[in-house]
Amino acid sequence: MPKAAATKRLTEALEKVGITSIGPDGEILVKSTQQQQLATELEKAGFGLILVSGVESKSRNGTMYKVVVAPRSIKDIINLVVPEKTNVLKQKIKLDPIIRSVQMNMVAFD
Amino acid sequence: MLSLYGYEYAIKNVYLAARSALGERQVNNLDQLRCFYLDALTKLAPKLPINRSQSRIIVDLAVEERLTAFFSTSVLDDLRQDQAIGPAYPPETKQAKLDRVSEAWDALTGRSIEFARTLNLIVHSVFVRSAVGAGKRTPRAGTTSLAPGVIWLAVHDNESVEDLIEILIHELTHLLMFTDELIHPQFDYTDIAKRDTFTLSALLGAVRPLDKVVHSMVVGTEIIMGRSALRPVSHCGTGAHPDSRVIAAGVSSAYLQLVEHPLAVDSLTQHTQEIIARCHGVCGAYNLEPATL
């Protein structure tokens, strides 16, 4: 995505939830009431949030997050899956008892 | 497997696993993919309680009891894992333990979009319950391929959020390996229960069934790579796992023992041989570069 278009999409997504200020490294202050809608809007625009670490990230006014470019969208990823393989798999999951073999793994036992 | 193979590989595997429930419908976003994946798990494990709510934490005691029952005996369980889960926590302490798991979950998902999306997709239920035969400081948690998407945790008072984050990464890795196994067979399933294919595991350093050995190598590698990506002070040990250099040495030893064991190698598919070679490649680099620790 070109930088100007990406910036525009980000700005629009933030404005939809009422956030108008963003720091030089993408920092934004998010109120708990904004969090859910913001995550949805950002995902649509191709961005995501990570928590700014440290005790100073939380204040009475909200939590400090950093906006980052999100991984490729789910739709784009699954478009890369080879169709033939998926047909084989449908049968395999239904019919093959062997791949259901029981394995149990536990912390401290490896 | 998330760090070793990447986020897109994990998503593709979940999508392929979800295909049995998809029909002609299209997947456009993560919520839809989760929904279809959980539908596929219902077909795969019809008696498993599938939690479709946004919170993955299981509070209901009846559901907790049903999930516990899935951690049952198997020919591949060599350390009496089926007896590892103990009684329910008393109600007055259970909520505090669930709150600490939630805190660790939020901290982990707040540090990485890839971890957040993968964890939210793969894991549908996390329950807490006491552990049998372990000290109050010994970390205990588990997954089973009979209950895909389910994590059991025994939460001890001494465990920090960082410890619990590593335990979540550990268990997520097992679940991702199970999902991978639905798409790519990993073993010669007629041989892995035979003792003469057993070999050295990476974390415990004991001779164990091959599935445990392979999983231990991948878990060890994921803990090291997860520390690099997610922790400010990255490679010191935690209450859950030792120092990264110790883990890397364990993974390398396990790898070298396995590749010298013809029966064991023959019991791995080409795909699994590639997985463990990747683990060895990552951990070999950590062994050679102590300055990075």
Side-chain angles (χ1 to χ4, degrees):
Chain A
M1 185 185 342
K3 195 175 174 185
T7 306
K8 185 169 179 287
R9 290 177 69 170
L10 172 59
T11 308
E12 286 172 357
L14 293 176
E15 282 175 353
K16 275 186 189 167
V17 281
I19 295 172
T20 52
S21 171
I22 181 163
D25 290 323
E27 306 94 333
I28 54 171
L29 192 63
V30 183
K31 292 176 191 163
S32 59
T33 51
Q34 294 172 314
Q35 208 160 333
Q36 186 70 43
Q37 194 195 346
L38 178 64
T40 307
E41 294 298 336
L42 284 178
E43 189 178 347
K44 280 189 220 161
F47 294 90
L49 290 174
I50 57 170
L51 194 65
V52 173
S53 57
V55 287
E56 72 282 4
S57 68
K58 276 197 173 179
S59 74
R60 277 191 304 171
N61 296 324
T63 305
M64 189 67 82
Y65 287 93
K66 193 171 168 180
V67 178
V68 293
V69 176
R72 204 199 307 246
S73 78
I74 297 297
K75 199 172 178 180
D76 288 346
I77 294 170
I78 62 181
N79 279 341
L80 299 173
V81 174
V82 181
E84 289 81 0
K85 204 172 179 180
T86 63
N87 292 330
V88 174
L89 181 88
K90 276 201 290 190
Q91 292 308 314
K92 190 194 256 185
I93 286 188
K94 277 184 189 165
L95 304 175
D96 192 340
I98 294 171
I99 60 172
R100 299 185 188 181
S101 66
V102 181
Q103 296 171 44
M104 204 185 310
N105 296 276
M106 294 189 171
V107 164
F109 293 151
D110 274 307
Chain B
M1 281 232 89
L2 182 58
S3 300
L4 199 59
Y5 275 74
Y7 167 76
E8 292 193 13
Y9 182 85
I11 297 296
K12 281 180 197 170
N13 273 351
V14 172
Y15 172 69
L16 287 168
R19 283 285 296 181
S20 67
L22 261 177
E24 297 306 311
R25 291 173 292 184
Q26 298 294 308
V27 175
N28 294 308
N29 57 46
L30 207 59
D31 286 343
Q32 287 175 353
L33 181 56
R34 179 181 184 232
C35 183
F36 293 132
Y37 180 58
L38 294 182
D39 288 347
L41 292 189
T42 305
K43 288 186 178 182
L44 195 64
K47 292 182 181 169
L48 179 68
I50 303 280
N51 172 25
R52 291 173 183 268
S53 73
Q54 284 305 308
S55 172
R56 287 9 181 215
I57 307 293
I58 300 300
V59 179
D60 188 297
L61 183 60
V63 177
E64 182 189 315
E65 300 278 0
R66 287 177 64 198
L67 293 174
T68 303
F70 280 82
F71 289 73
S72 54
T73 190
S74 134
V75 290
L76 290 170
D77 291 336
D78 55 329
L79 297 175
R80 303 172 76 185
Q81 289 99 313
D82 59 306
Q83 295 174 36
I85 305 181
Y89 287 121
E92 61 272 21
T93 57
K94 179 175 162 180
Q95 190 54 52
K97 292 176 187 296
L98 290 174
D99 289 345
R100 291 178 54 219
V101 174
S102 292
E103 192 183 349
W105 180 285
D106 291 345
L108 175 56
T109 55
R111 288 182 197 180
S112 156
I113 291 173
E114 287 85 353
F115 266 97
R117 290 185 180 173
T118 310
L119 206 60
N120 281 317
L121 192 57
I122 292 283
V123 181
H124 59 82
S125 299
V126 179
F127 71 101
V128 297
R129 206 167 161 97
S130 69
V132 171
K136 287 188 174 175
R137 303 184 73 84
T138 311
R140 281 282 190 270
T143 54
T144 168
S145 59
L146 276 183
V150 177
I151 293 177
W152 159 64
L153 286 161
V155 181
H156 303 315
D157 292 342
N158 64 301
E159 281 169 339
S160 66
V161 169
E162 290 301 324
D163 296 341
L164 291 171
I165 285 175
E166 282 204 351
I167 291 172
L168 287 173
I169 294 173
H170 184 131
E171 298 307 333
L172 174 66
T173 303
H174 289 309
L175 295 177
L176 285 169
M177 285 288 286
F178 293 150
T179 308
D180 181 72
E181 195 176 11
L182 294 174
I183 320 302
H184 312 284
Q186 294 173 350
F187 305 99
D188 178 338
Y189 295 92
T190 54
D191 282 348
I192 55 169
K194 294 177 184 166
R195 279 204 72 84
D196 53 4
T197 63
F198 289 15
T199 180
L200 190 73
S201 70
L203 300 177
L204 197 60
V207 173
R208 305 197 63 197
L210 265 182
D211 63 304
K212 308 298 182 294
V213 174
V214 169
H215 274 242
S216 73
M217 292 168 72
V218 180
V219 165
T221 309
E222 289 289 327
I223 294 297
I224 293 173
M225 295 178 83
R227 285 175 178 173
S228 291
L230 303 173
R231 285 176 70 195
V233 183
S234 48
H235 290 291
C236 309
T238 64
H241 301 96
D243 190 279
S244 292
R245 202 183 313 180
V246 174
I247 299 175
V251 173
S252 292
S253 296
Y255 176 80
L256 294 172
Q257 282 236 352
L258 200 163
V259 296
E260 292 288 314
H261 189 320
L263 283 177
V265 174
D266 286 348
S267 302
L268 302 181
T269 61
Q270 192 64 37
H271 174 64
T272 309
Q273 290 179 35
E274 188 202 306
I275 292 173
I276 62 172
R278 280 198 192 201
C279 294
H280 181 58
V282 170
C283 292
Y286 278 93
N287 274 332
L288 291 170
E289 295 171 21
T292 63
L293 298 174

